[in-house]
Amino acid sequence: MSRRVVRQSKFRHVFGQPVKADQMYEDIRVSKVTWDSSFCAVNPKFVAIIVESGGGGAFIVLPLAKTGRVDKNHPLVTGHTAPVLDIDWCPHNDNVIASASEDTTVMVWQVPDYVPVRNVTEPVVTLEGHSKRVGIISWHPTARNVLLSAGCDNLVILWNVGTGEMLLVLEDMHTDLIYNVGWNRNGSLLVTTCKDKKVRVIDPRKQQVVAEKAKPHDGARPIRAIFMADGKIFTTGFSKMSERQLGLWD
C-alpha cells in the first residue's frame, strides 16, 4: 500500500522571477498580528501596508510612482491604540482610507498627495460602536460615505462617514466570529461567512437573511466568499482532509 507523503502539484517546480530592486518596496516591517486579512490595500495612487509599531497600531502609505528602499523614518498613519487589523481605500476618493483595529474603533483618514513630514495622527472621523475588536471593513461600492464594519462582537454596522453616525446595525444574524463580508456590484446585498460554517446573503435594507448555505466546505478552517458580477457567489475553503476547495453557488 503506497502512501502519498508529498502532495502532487503541477506548480511544485515552477519558480517566479523577482522584479528588480528599484521596482519593489524594501525594508517594510509588515505587521505580525495573527489575523486573517491581507494586511495591505492598493488604489490607483497609493499602496497602504499595515506595519509593526510600538504602543499602538499603524500603517504606512506609499505612492505607487515611487518604489525602492523605504526610509526607516518614513511617516506612518498612527492613531489606533492597538494593532490595526484591516484597511480599505475609499472607491470614490483615492485620498481617503479607513482602518479597523483591535481597539474596537474604525478610523477614516485623509491622505495627502505629498509625503507628510511627520506621522499622520488625526483621523477625519472616529467611528465607535463595536464592543470587541474590529477585523473587517468595506466601503459601499456605489453610495458615497457609507462604510461597513464587522467585529468580534458578531455585529455588522453600516456607518455614515460624513456624520459619524450608525446607519444600521445587523445583529442576531451571526452566532459566531464573522470571517469575511462582501458587497455585490450595486451594494444592495451582502455575503458573509462565519465560524458557524454558514454562508449568508443579507439584504441590509430589510435587515434580514435572504439566503443561507450551511457547510459549503466541510473543513474547519475559515471560508471566504465574494459576489461575482452575475450575482453568483464564489467561495474558497477546505475539505475535511484540508485540501483547498473552490465553490460557485447560485
Side-chain angles (χ1 to χ4, degrees):
M1 182 175 147
S2 66
R3 289 184 65 192
R4 270 194 335 199
V5 179
V6 179
R7 268 196 210 149
Q8 291 301 312
S9 168
K10 62 177 95 166
F11 301 112
R12 249 176 79 199
H13 303 295
V14 176
F15 299 98
Q17 282 296 111
V19 294
K20 294 185 174 68
D22 61 348
Q23 293 176 301
M24 58 179 156
Y25 299 100
E26 285 190 291
D27 284 355
I28 298 173
R29 296 178 304 151
V30 179
S31 172
K32 293 189 178 71
V33 175
T34 53
W35 184 259
D36 188 25
S37 98
S38 53
F39 292 116
C40 71
V42 68
N43 72 5
K45 282 187 183 177
F46 305 102
V47 59
I49 303 162
I50 302 172
V51 293
E52 293 272 286
S53 83
F59 59 96
I60 190 170
V61 176
L62 302 166
L64 292 183
K66 190 174 180 299
T67 50
R69 192 173 293 278
V70 177
D71 186 357
K72 283 187 171 56
N73 298 317
H74 192 286
L76 304 176
V77 180
T78 63
H80 288 287
T81 57
V84 176
L85 301 180
D86 197 15
I87 47 179
D88 194 32
W89 289 102
C90 176
H92 308 291
N93 185 336
D94 287 343
N95 293 73
V96 172
I97 188 170
S99 60
S101 168
E102 274 188 20
D103 65 10
T104 75
T105 66
V106 174
M107 292 182 179
V108 179
W109 309 84
Q110 181 87 28
V111 177
D113 284 323
Y114 59 88
V115 177
V117 181
R118 56 181 68 86
N119 288 353
V120 179
T121 57
E122 289 295 319
V124 179
V125 63
T126 300
L127 307 173
E128 298 177 335
H130 287 281
S131 59
K132 294 183 179 177
R133 59 185 178 174
V134 187
I136 300 164
I137 45 173
S138 180
W139 290 92
H140 193 283
T142 56
R144 278 182 176 273
N145 286 347
V146 177
L147 179 67
L148 172 151
S149 64
C152 293
D153 49 9
N154 307 342
L155 294 183
V156 176
I157 301 177
L158 266 69
W159 303 90
N160 180 338
V161 172
T163 62
E165 297 169 346
M166 290 184 200
L167 292 172
L168 58 95
V169 180
L170 302 175
E171 51 190 344
D172 303 327
M173 292 189 182
H174 300 89
T175 59
D176 212 327
L177 180 68
I178 300 166
Y179 283 144
N180 93 298
V181 180
W183 295 97
N184 67 349
R185 277 297 176 92
N186 61 14
S188 60
L189 294 172
L190 293 167
V191 61
T192 67
T193 61
C194 181
K195 198 173 180 180
D196 62 12
K197 294 191 177 178
K198 287 183 180 176
V199 175
R200 295 171 174 85
V201 177
I202 298 169
D203 185 329
R205 288 184 182 85
K206 294 178 182 170
Q207 299 190 37
Q208 66 186 41
V209 177
V210 294
E212 193 173 84
K213 173 71 180 170
K215 286 197 174 179
H217 303 280
D218 288 328
R221 291 161 78 179
I223 300 166
R224 286 181 167 263
I226 58 166
F227 268 107
M228 308 293 281
D230 60 3
K232 291 188 173 69
I233 290 170
F234 183 75
T235 61
T236 62
F238 294 85
S239 69
K240 282 184 176 172
M241 306 297 289
S242 284
E243 294 168 324
R244 283 191 179 276
Q245 291 183 333
L246 310 174
L248 188 62
W249 309 88
D250 191 342

